[in-house]
Amino acid sequence: MMTRRWHYVLFVVWVLALATTPLWASNYIVRLAIMIAMYTTLTLSWNFIGGFTGYPSFSTAAFFGLGCYAGALSQRSGVPMVLAWGIATLFVGAFAAALGAIILRLRGHYFAIGSIGIVEVVRLVVSSWGSLTGGGDGLNLPLLSGGPNAVARIFLAVMIAIMVVTFVVTVIVDRNRFGYGLRCIQQNEDAADMVGVDTTRYKVIAYFLSALFCGTVGAAYASWIGYIDPNDSFSIIMTIKVPVMCLLGGPGTVLGPVVGTAAFTLLEEVFWANFLDYNRAILGAVIVVLIFFLPGGLLGLSYRDIAARIAKPHRRPKTAS
Amino acid sequence: MAYLQTLVNGIVLGALYACLAVGFSLVWGVLNIVNMLHGSLIVLGGYLTFFAWQGYGIYPLLALPVVALLLFALGYALQLAVINRVVSEPVLTTLTLTFGLDLILYNFMTVYYTATPRRVTLDLGAIDIGGIVMPVDRLFGMLLALVLTALLYLVMRRSRIGRAIVAVRMDSAAAALMGIRVNRIYAVTFGIGALMAGATGVIFAMVYPVTTNLAGIYLGKAFVVCVIGGLGSVPGALAGGIVLGVIESFAGQFFGPQHALTVGFVLMLVLLVVKPTGLTGIKGYE
Amino acid sequence: MHFTTTGYASAIILTAGIAVIAISPRLADAADVVKFGAPLALTGSLADEAKKQDVAWKMWLAKVNAAGGINVGGKKLKAELVEYDYQSDGQRAGQLAEKLITSDKVDFLLSPFGSGHTKIVATIAERYETPVVACAASSESVFDQNSKHLFGTLSPNAGMFGPMVKLFQEKLPTLKRVAVLGRDDVFPKAMAQGVSAAAKAAGLTVVYDQLYAVGTMDHSAALSAIKAGNPDWIYVTGYTQDLILVRKQMSDLGLKAPIVTMVAGPAYKEYIDGLGNLANGITSSSWWHQATSYKGVGVWPTTEDFYKEFLAKEKSDPDYVHASCAAAAVILQDAIERAGTTDKKKVRDELAKTDVTTFYGPVKFSANGMNQGRDLPIIQVQDKQIKVLAPADIKNGDLSLIK
């Protein structure tokens, strides 16, 4: 299909744009590219459970933070960096699979609340288990040696690589019976169940996928920054931003998360560089506008729809007056 | 004896928690909206109380009705103008929208009021009944909280508006057919939620420092209380609040203050899985 | 999910447009300035502390530029301060530190408030071999990354406990039982652990020693347990809002002790404002107090010069954060002038060799970058005023036990 091919072309172009930043931009831009790649992975991951399956998960920060800590603790025990990332990935995946079996029995609001609760509980546990995690002091990681340029390039490559892998998995899921099954669950879970879709297994796998690469980027992020603490690793702001990025681009699509993350991150960049005091308010305003005028995300944008929505208040409400 | 003190501490704390959560529970239960603004609205109520007290010497109790009305108006307007458009949307949309609105409110408050902790220094002391010590302001807060929740309960049960709200909650299409203006009811409900948040803010201003830093913590408590107590029900919020207060109190004593908060959240998670409808068994929307 | 052509087009145009705006380079600034970069948490939970840093640095900036600028090898160059708001978010702190170095091309960095964020900024500074001075980090753990470019004006926490235990034992010979309640956060936790160890070493009994989680809204359980332990000395750590709450709840629960210490409560005006009369009698440690009378280098030759100017400008007393941060700028200027150049490596070496006195006190950096220890002021609130109890050469009051 024409559209599918365009997806891949656009994605490749974007990857090249990010990957070549060291060649044509300052280290600050390279850093921005690293963060974009990292958040794209998080958003693509969220897309599995939130976009395809329609379960509004707010657990991203829990997975990311656990990845940070698993990676950090491994590295501090002498495990080589890349292997530590692998361990973190597996750990977070296993955690999500076990947790998913329990929590995916909930739906809608309750699932959302439960998933936020997970973030808080994990943060509190990590924070109070001081002997293992350093508690409020945080953890130092062995710093990768090398000048800032070299380190930046390495981590850019790493984050892009993880992003590409996640994208590929997304494509596979999208074109696969598994993805189709997830979409069925989103449309009507009970009907899907009756038609023979193994809803529990599919949901758990989706939740597992939504966590796996969060663990990887968490560990990589920890190695890059060299220091982590519970408050920044398990950030509620991150756990809300990621679904917003996906909503902005178009949930349940392959390219939506990529576009959404890019647009959101760059918007943020523009705003807090120029509107110091009110950047949070502006972020909030962006979210509000997004919800109203872009229900299908940027990729589903239709100016006619927007015009209709603006005109809505003048229509009578459906209920009797 | 020490246990009795812990229990009393827990109950008094719990009443404050109940007051905090009842508005949130109402909005969630009736409108199916998770109101992320709740914590910030409480803080806003607190700031209004503080400045009334500092600037004009107005005693918080007198400020209460005014603050409550102001916040009701704010909530009503917000609902009608903005939130009404997403009332039937899935939770991701509504939660994100209210989160976005919260960012705006939070930012303006922080810029305008700064995050410096403020305190309404009443220093009412404590009373001692048979060896059990109870701080007067918390006691006062507890009584006020109980009075407000009782009032709310009566309104819901007895008044026309209250019955309309319950009707809408049970079946909005049927309610519409019966001549109820659903949109207006939604706005009133959200307004009441904001009113309770504002009232809580007034009460809390007497007990806690007023600062935007606490908004997130209040919101988190509201979540936990609602899950424990059940949604959309005033008695549920009361029960949930007191249970949480008592549990935190005892957890603090037995596990140390470090783990008191964790216990609350873990309890919430366990309940979600085991009995999401909470103590009162009232099912919120899915 | 359907895609519209307008959707794609809009998405691409929007993203491209934003990208262009976002990465367009800022206009190059004049070359004849010395640039100082400061990532600050101007919004978010640390906003109050960041504002103090901002006030202190702007005061220094005005003063140094009024005198013509910094003397760099005979030539006077104006100083310029570039600040960014990192919204109390650690990720952003690092991002902005990098932006300051690579895009704004600052010569030196001034660190934000708070241990964790200082570490993140220091890591970046280390990679770019840019000297950074921290004015609000006093825990040893902040300086444990083997950084060669991080310097801190606050003396280590460790210097606070011994003298305090000694003073209190002297003034209250029957002092035997201590209760310690700390916030589970880098600095407050370090303080709690430090005093606990010092008390034990001095032969005191620690009857209660616990941490409370960040976000605790009710301390009754801890305070009730402390009350049961009947301590002579209660030591609480946390940030201003925690300490206000604890003090209030202590009063509510009828918890009293002859000596009550809260760190760093009374060192901040907001604490006294927030508690009114309840603040009376509370002791604390501080890193500086205006009652000292140091004399040395910098735009304010004596403590009194700094104090008077601050009082005139801000209409209130400076606290140790203001002083420490102003001192950080003063020391950087001094190091630049000694080096005779703004070359990062040479200035870094001069910083390491620093051994001067400033209005803030002696500044000499140890191997790990921290200012060397000294006798730090012990203060007490009496009649809503701060009195200095120790060390002897600056004291202006005596410990008054709480009845």
Side-chain angles (χ1 to χ4, degrees), chain B residues 49-114:
Chain B
T49 314
F50 173 77
F51 285 114
W53 182 77
Q54 192 197 45
Y56 304 103
I58 301 177
Y59 197 70
L61 191 57
L62 296 175
L64 181 63
V66 177
V67 172
L69 278 170
L70 276 174
L71 265 107
F72 177 84
L74 177 65
Y76 191 92
L78 205 55
Q79 157 67 9
L80 224 40
V82 179
I83 300 179
N84 203 28
R85 304 187 188 211
V86 298
V87 158
S88 45
E89 300 281 339
V91 64
L92 186 60
T93 313
T94 58
L95 197 151
T96 313
L97 176 66
T98 51
F99 184 77
L101 290 169
D102 181 49
L103 281 178
I104 298 175
L105 178 61
Y106 177 92
N107 200 152
F108 276 102
M109 281 202 293
T110 314
V111 169
Y112 198 59
Y113 294 127
T114 80

Side-chain angles (χ1 to χ4, degrees), chain C residues 130-170:
Chain C
T130 303
V132 54
V133 183
C135 57
S138 64
S139 305
E140 307 262 6
S141 62
V142 177
F143 295 84
D144 65 356
Q145 288 174 305
N146 286 325
S147 163
K148 293 194 217 40
H149 293 83
L150 175 65
F151 299 93
T153 47
L154 290 184
S155 304
N157 297 338
M160 297 192 137
F161 312 118
M164 185 175 249
V165 172
K166 200 152 127 325
L167 176 71
F168 290 164
Q169 278 184 307
E170 204 183 287

